Amino acid sequence: EVLLVESGGGVVQPGGSLRLSCAASGFSFRSYWMHWVRQVPGKGLMWVARMNSDGSTRDYAESVKGRFTISRDNAKNAVYLEMNSLRGEDTAVYYCARESMVGAFLIDYWGQGTLVTVSS
Amino acid sequence: SSELTQDPAVSVALGQTVRITCQGDSLRSYHASWYQQKPGQAPILVIYGKNNRPSGISDRFSGSTSGNTASLTITGAQAEDEADYHCNSRDSSGTHLVFGGGTKLTVL
């Protein structure tokens, strides 16, 4: 069974930093591209970042480029999202998601999410 | 344009057929995927590609595209289909992923 478990969310002040983690199991993690997607409670989904299987390629949404960094540790079956210079509009549930091997950019599994609240 | 547009809310009578749409220029180049999300839960993939269903997804769900509009059709809607439905695809540049705003489906 594919399992993605996020952690690291919490309350942080504007301008602060936070590191999210996602522990993966139930599949060959080192073979898959991974994504982070966020959702303001009650609103739609917004793609944040994507990383290829060996960590050599990263893409970011314009709204987080230069502030967020996606990384992974294939030995630990984990993907991370380092978030700096946080703003109120970054408040959201952050989901870790797996990209299917069937098609590029096709997300087939999601974690349950971790809530990040940016507030003073 | 790199945006996808969905109607905020749609309703359907129990057992009837409903179509949820997603509009955007990128859909002329890339297929949409559709996700079902129930309150407090993570999204679940229900349709991808031309019209493909992952294992375990009911055959009540089907997908299609015409021009810049992708559609998710639920044939014989059931109470358990009440949920938010999100579409996504690559953006027009092909390098980013974009989502629609989501459609809240109510089964009456």
Side-chain angles (χ1 to χ4, degrees), chain B residues 4 22-32 64-71:
Chain B
L4 297 178
C22 174
Q23 282 189 301
D25 289 344
S26 62
L27 298 178
R28 297 184 185 278
S29 304
Y30 302 105
H31 287 298
S64 63
T65 302
S66 177
N68 72 337
T69 301
S71 299

Side-chain angles (χ1 to χ4, degrees), chain B:
Chain B
S1 170
S2 59
E3 297 180 346
L4 297 178
T5 302
Q6 296 183 242
D7 291 328
V10 171
S11 62
V12 61
L14 185 68
Q16 296 303 300
T17 296
V18 62
R19 177 176 293 179
I20 299 169
T21 61
C22 174
Q23 282 189 301
D25 289 344
S26 62
L27 298 178
R28 297 184 185 278
S29 304
Y30 302 105
H31 287 298
S33 299
W34 290 92
Y35 299 86
Q36 178 193 70
Q37 186 181 32
K38 296 183 179 180
Q41 297 184 17
I44 295 172
L45 178 66
V46 294
I47 290 289
Y48 66 95
K50 197 169 185 179
N51 179 20
N52 300 295
R53 280 178 287 107
S55 174
I57 300 300
S58 170
D59 60 5
R60 295 196 303 277
F61 293 89
S62 62
S64 63
T65 302
S66 177
N68 72 337
T69 301
S71 299
L72 173 71
T73 300
I74 306 174
T75 303
Q78 301 299 303
E80 62 263 32
D81 299 333
E82 187 163 288
D84 293 331
Y85 290 87
H86 306 272
C87 65
N88 78 358
S89 80
R90 294 197 205 186
D91 68 358
S92 298
S93 74
T95 60
H96 290 175
L97 195 58
V98 289
F99 285 88
T103 297
K104 181 177 181 60
L105 176 66
T106 299
V107 180
L108 304 171

Side-chain angles (χ1 to χ4, degrees), chain A residues 35 37 39 43-47 59-62 95 102 104-108 110-112, chain B residues 33 35 37 40-45 48 86 88 90 94-102:
Chain A
H35 295 246
V37 178
Q39 184 176 35
K43 302 296 184 183
L45 298 162
M46 192 201 97
W47 176 75
D59 295 309
Y60 298 95
E62 289 302 316
Y95 294 100
V102 170
F105 287 89
L106 173 61
I107 290 175
D108 60 356
W110 302 67
Q112 287 301 308
Chain B
S33 299
Y35 299 86
Q37 186 181 32
Q41 297 184 17
I44 295 172
L45 178 66
Y48 66 95
H86 306 272
N88 78 358
R90 294 197 205 186
T95 60
H96 290 175
L97 195 58
V98 289
F99 285 88

